[in-house]
């Protein structure tokens, strides 16, 4: 079952008009929330980011926070599987094709839940390969826009190289990767670029940052030069679906000793424990539409 404009229905029956501005202009924003054992992870943080993306793009938010939560729970409960990736997007709606915003268009809301696919154990233990590219996307990467052609083109570079991610540099500095944030480790210190218009403020980035702080792992949020990335002892990518994943080769060169490092092992463990804690709490705050 998927959700479209107020109704749960089978995906085959979910149809949108060709003049939807999401289809015509990529004029919309989205979110992806991981759900473990039917408990959404960091739901309020994802909803805050959605609200921010809508405000920044001046798309009317069609639902209150309580309504969003309610729809998500209905969708989660309608699936036969426990661990889910709940994708939702809001577009500016259906209107005659014209770049300027239409007046009176109703935002289109679409949501679906797919089985959550996190990295298999072997990849976690052995680490993954990445390649690099110049970050040639627009200057509002902080908005979670559905206009993802820049990210798709960059992701394809690593797909064609048989790698899991494309790590991006702009003006000699690390930004993020095509669909994840990036952390480097040098002499035990975790480094990651600060939030800015050049990166998506990742929910997993926040969790990793908080876990580092709470557990006394030194972390610096500062500009990271390309040469520091290439000379790092460890590299990680983070996202809601990849969680924390070690990168052990970059452009064919070994990262550190070519195996996931000790700081990664610690952070991976902390992340899994934190997930378990959230699941055990299992709380869904009172919801009503
Ligand atoms: C470009 C980009 N950066 C970072 C992330 C990680 O964000 P999150 O941790 O909220 O999944 C994503 C996730 O899809 C992304 O597309």
């Amino acid at each position: 079952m998927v959700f479209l404009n107020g109704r749960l229905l089978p995906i085959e029956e979910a149809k949108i008009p060709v003049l939807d501005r999401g289809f015509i202009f990529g004029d919309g924003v989205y979110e992806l929330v991981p759900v473990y054992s039917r408990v959404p992870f960091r739901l309020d943080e994802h909803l805050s980011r959605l609200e921010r993306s809508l405000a920044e793009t001046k798309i009317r938010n069609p639902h209150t926070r309580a309504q969003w939560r309610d729809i998500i729970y209905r969708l989660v409960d309608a699936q036969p599987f426990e661990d889910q990736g709940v994708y939702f997007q809001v577009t500016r709606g259906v209107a005659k094709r014209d770049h300027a915003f239409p007046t009176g268009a109703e935002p289109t809301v679409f949501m679906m839940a797919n089985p959550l696919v996190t990295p298999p154990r072997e990849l976690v233990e052995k680490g993954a390969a990445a390649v690099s590219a110049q970050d040639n996307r627009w200057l509002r990467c902080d908005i979670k826009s559905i206009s993802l052609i820049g990210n798709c083109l960059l992701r394809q570079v690593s797909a064609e190289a048989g790698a899991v991610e494309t790590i991006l540099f702009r003006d000699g500095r690390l930004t993020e990767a095509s669909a994840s944030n990036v952390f480097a480790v040098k002499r035990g210190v975790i480094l990651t670029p600060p939030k800015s218009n050049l990166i998506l403020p990742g929910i997993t980035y926040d969790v990793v940052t908080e876990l580092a702080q709470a557990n006394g792992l030194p972390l610096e949020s500062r500009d990271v030069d390309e040469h520091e990335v290439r000379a790092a002892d460890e590299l990680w990518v983070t996202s809601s679906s990849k969680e924390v994943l070690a990168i052990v080769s970059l452009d064919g060169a070994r990262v550190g000793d070519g195996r996931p490092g000790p700081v990664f092992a610690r952070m991976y463990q902390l992340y899994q424990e934190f997930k378990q804690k959230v699941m055990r709490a299992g709380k869904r705050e009172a919801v009503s539409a």
Side-chain angles (χ1 to χ4, degrees), residues 148-167:
L148 285 173
I149 193 163
N151 301 64
C152 292
L153 287 167
L154 290 165
R155 171 66 185 104
Q156 189 60 19
V157 174
S158 47
E160 286 175 9
V164 304
E165 253 297 18
T166 310
I167 291 181

Side-chain angles (χ1 to χ4, degrees), residues 30 32 46 49 137 144 151 176-181 200-205 238-241:
Y30 76 107
L32 184 107
H46 281 278
R49 188 171 63 184
R137 299 170 302 160
K144 204 160 168 61
N151 301 64
E176 55 179 345
S178 71
S180 40
N181 292 109
L200 186 81
I203 305 300
T204 321
Y205 169 110
T238 68
S239 79
S240 294
S241 54

Side-chain angles (χ1 to χ4, degrees), residues 44-117:
D44 272 318
E45 289 79 357
H46 281 278
L47 289 174
S48 297
R49 188 171 63 184
L50 176 75
E51 288 161 2
R52 179 178 182 278
S53 294
L54 288 167
E56 292 292 321
T57 52
K58 303 184 168 67
I59 295 173
R60 187 170 64 77
N61 186 345
H63 296 302
T64 62
R65 183 73 72 99
Q67 286 171 331
W68 280 116
R69 297 174 68 92
D70 194 43
I71 299 165
I72 289 163
Y73 291 136
R74 277 167 58 203
L75 187 69
V76 166
D77 289 341
Q79 311 307 321
F81 39 88
E82 299 277 298
D83 291 350
Q84 306 176 15
V86 174
Y87 173 91
F88 46 112
Q89 73 169 48
V90 184
T91 76
R92 205 179 303 277
V94 180
K96 182 172 168 294
R97 187 181 183 283
D98 181 5
H99 288 59
F101 299 169
T103 47
E106 278 297 312
T108 301
V109 177
F110 171 65
M111 287 196 198
M112 62 183 165
N114 293 309
L116 185 68
V117 183

